[in-house]
Amino acid sequence: MKLIMAIIKPFKLDEVREQLSALGVQGMTVTEVKGYGRQKGHTEIYRGAEYAVSFLPKLKIEVAVKAEMASAVLDAITSKAKTGQIGDGKIFVTPLEQVVRIRTGETDGDAL
């Protein structure tokens, strides 16, 4: 099992969600986050004054999948979240040792 965490631009969420649903991904967690990468934020001009925006708004999507589905999920997120511009985001994949569904007590693959 793998835990896939993707940091994406907020306006790409619907496209990514629809593609993951089409793949059969059962659920996901979405969190509003702020951060910066190599670009270190950006500057904006508002009413003639220049402001430095250090942390940019992003969304973090977390999806737990079986190991054999991980590459398809990666491809789906990458293809739908990509704009070709700076700040498209990153995807992190980590091994998932154990999952327990609290309501039924199911474990590991059955709990996904």
Side-chain angles (χ1 to χ4, degrees):
M1 294 179 298
K2 301 286 184 183
L3 178 62
I4 299 174
M5 292 181 286
I7 309 296
I8 64 168
K9 291 184 175 184
F11 64 88
K12 290 301 218 170
L13 177 62
D14 287 335
E15 291 178 52
V16 171
R17 184 188 55 78
E18 288 171 9
Q19 186 67 29
L20 292 178
S21 293
L23 282 176
V25 173
Q26 294 289 321
M28 68 176 69
T29 301
V30 178
T31 310
E32 292 181 4
V33 295
K34 291 183 179 189
Y36 66 88
R38 291 182 183 159
Q39 78 271 15
K40 306 277 193 286
H42 67 280
T43 57
E44 290 183 357
I45 298 175
Y46 178 71
R47 295 191 178 187
E50 194 170 289
Y51 296 94
V53 179
S54 298
F55 294 98
L56 303 174
K58 302 282 184 178
L59 292 179
K60 178 169 74 169
I61 299 173
E62 295 174 294
V63 180
V65 296
K66 293 182 179 179
E68 56 270 11
M69 278 189 71
S71 64
V73 169
L74 281 174
D75 292 341
I77 295 171
T78 303
S79 66
K80 292 300 179 180
K82 185 176 184 177
T83 65
Q85 309 230 336
I86 292 174
D88 273 351
K90 288 194 172 56
I91 302 174
F92 304 94
V93 180
T94 58
L96 198 55
E97 292 184 23
Q98 186 177 13
V99 177
V100 177
R101 178 170 291 159
I102 295 172
R103 179 177 57 87
T104 62
E106 295 171 303
T107 60
D108 299 331
D110 293 335
L112 296 178

